């Protein structure tokens, strides 16, 4: 199933603490965001990549896109102050009648088979997200007092990509603008419309590089894949 993908890359990587965008960090000799782009470059179902970049990083990211021969970048879109604004800037540009994926540049370990399963569900239902069952016990806490243990079987950790019919994602973002609502992911904007969002079980390797410890896990995933290939 053919799709377009929006890749928000316009953050600052503050929690990684490098003093620059974490997406320039090299993993296995390639910048993090180039790993992410290569997955979509090599997926025959991906028709176009809408890469959202900050004005500070635009020149350098564009040079790296060229250096690594990524040909599917349809447009470099200017980022916004929040991730949601960055995504919305791209949503406005996507042509009608397509499936659109939103995938964080900071998740370089996404794999094509997961994308294919997700896209299929989004085409049938309208909205779908990759997710994995939570492994930890989760408790609700007030101050330092446990209020309740949340039943774990109903808890899933939500990842990207998240996939939508573009008309649904456009409506959801437009409604969020009207309501000045900021959600932590795109699906939450769609849920507010009363639209069903389905989960598709993903993979624990699809981590987001957020804090410095995530880099140990990233190196381990790279090493595991190297021995498999
Ligand atoms: N992002 C974006 N525009 C923003 C903020 C984030 O395009 N205004 C992108 C990031 O580049 C990243 C993805 O959204 O690929 C997920 O965001 P996150 O992991 O929070 O990255 P940062 O915002 O860069 O990190 P931090 O929150 O630690 O500053
Ligand atoms: Mg952020």
């Amino acid at each position: 199933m053919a799709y377009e993908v929006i890749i928000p890359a316009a953050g600052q990587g503050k929690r990684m603490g490098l003093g620059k965008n974490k997406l320039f960090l090299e993993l296995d000799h390639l910048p993090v965001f180039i790993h992410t782009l290569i997955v979509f470059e090599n997926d025959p179902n991906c028709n176009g990549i809408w890469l959202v970049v900050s004005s500070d990083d635009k020149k350098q990211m564009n040079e790296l896109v060229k250096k690594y021969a990524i040909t599917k970048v349809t447009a470099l879109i200017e980022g916004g102050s929040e991730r949601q604004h960055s995504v919305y800037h791209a949503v406005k540009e996507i042509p009608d009648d397509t499936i659109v994926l939103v995938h964080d540049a900071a998740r370089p370990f996404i794999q094509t088979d997961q994308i294919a399963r997700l896209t299929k569900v989004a085409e049938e239902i309208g909205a779908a997200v990759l997710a994995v069952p939570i492994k930890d016990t989760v408790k609700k806490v007030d101050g330092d007092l446990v209020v309740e243990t949340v039943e774990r079987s109903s808890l899933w950790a939500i990842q990207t990509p998240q996939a939508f019919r573009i008309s649904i994602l456009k409506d959801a973002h437009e409604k969020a603008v009207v309501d000045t609502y900021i959600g932590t992911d795109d699906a939450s904007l769609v849920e507010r419309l009363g639209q069903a969002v389905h989960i598709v079980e993903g993979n624990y390797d699809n981590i987001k590089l957020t804090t410095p410890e995530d880099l140990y896990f990233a190196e381990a995933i790279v090493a595991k894949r190297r021995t498999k290939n």
Side-chain angles (χ1 to χ4, degrees):
M1 169 42 48
Y3 64 86
E4 304 282 330
V5 63
I6 296 171
I7 302 197
Q12 297 180 46
K14 283 193 188 142
R15 285 169 289 175
M16 194 59 82
L18 295 171
K20 63 171 182 184
N21 191 339
K22 63 191 177 185
L23 300 173
F24 290 119
L25 205 72
E26 295 214 347
L27 261 185
D28 201 20
H29 312 295
L30 292 178
V32 165
F33 81 103
I34 294 294
H35 280 280
T36 311
L37 292 179
I38 286 173
V39 175
F40 292 98
E41 176 76 12
N42 292 340
D43 182 355
N45 290 326
C46 177
N47 278 350
I49 299 172
W50 304 71
L51 182 62
V52 190
V53 299
S54 68
S55 48
D56 286 349
D57 295 339
K58 184 174 182 179
K59 186 166 175 280
Q60 198 182 351
M61 284 196 170
N62 196 23
E63 281 166 10
L64 289 166
V65 162
K66 296 217 168 78
K67 174 174 173 188
Y68 291 106
I70 311 292
T71 62
K72 288 189 187 170
V73 175
T74 309
L76 290 181
I77 305 283
E78 173 113 9
S81 55
E82 299 284 341
R83 178 189 179 282
Q84 185 176 315
H85 300 137
S86 292
V87 173
Y88 183 48
H89 289 174
V91 164
K92 286 194 280 191
E93 305 296 326
I94 308 265
D96 288 339
D97 285 333
T98 183
I99 293 291
V100 64
L101 268 60
V102 183
H103 182 64
D104 291 331
R107 289 189 193 265
F109 300 116
I110 183 62
Q111 290 177 307
T112 319
D113 62 312
Q114 297 166 39
I115 297 171
R117 285 189 291 117
L118 179 78
T119 313
K120 187 165 178 288
V121 177
E123 214 224 347
E124 287 161 12
I125 311 293
V129 299
L130 272 190
V132 286
I134 285 215
K135 295 188 213 177
D136 291 326
T137 294
V138 177
K139 295 187 193 285
K140 211 167 164 185
V141 173
D142 183 8
D144 60 359
L145 194 68
V146 172
V147 176
E148 102 182 73
T149 301
V150 187
E151 215 250 301
R152 190 172 56 197
S153 62
S154 63
L155 294 179
W156 289 70
I158 305 302
Q159 307 174 336
T160 70
Q162 303 193 343
F164 310 92
R165 268 182 227 131
I166 184 63
S167 55
I168 292 174
L169 190 62
K170 257 185 199 160
D171 286 352
H173 272 269
E174 280 162 11
K175 179 89 166 63
V177 170
V178 169
D179 299 345
T180 60
Y181 176 86
I182 300 280
T184 50
D185 70 349
D186 296 283
S188 63
L189 312 186
V190 169
E191 291 153 31
R192 292 179 75 242
L193 300 181
Q195 160 77 42
V197 176
H198 278 230
I199 60 154
V200 171
E201 186 158 359
N203 179 315
Y204 289 103
D205 280 5
N206 183 25
I207 59 170
K208 181 160 74 69
L209 304 183
T210 307
T211 57
E213 310 76 62
D214 295 325
L215 301 177
Y216 313 142
F217 297 112
E219 291 295 350
I221 295 166
V222 167
K224 178 183 82 173
R225 290 194 181 171
R226 214 182 276 133
T227 55
K228 273 194 177 166
N229 293 336

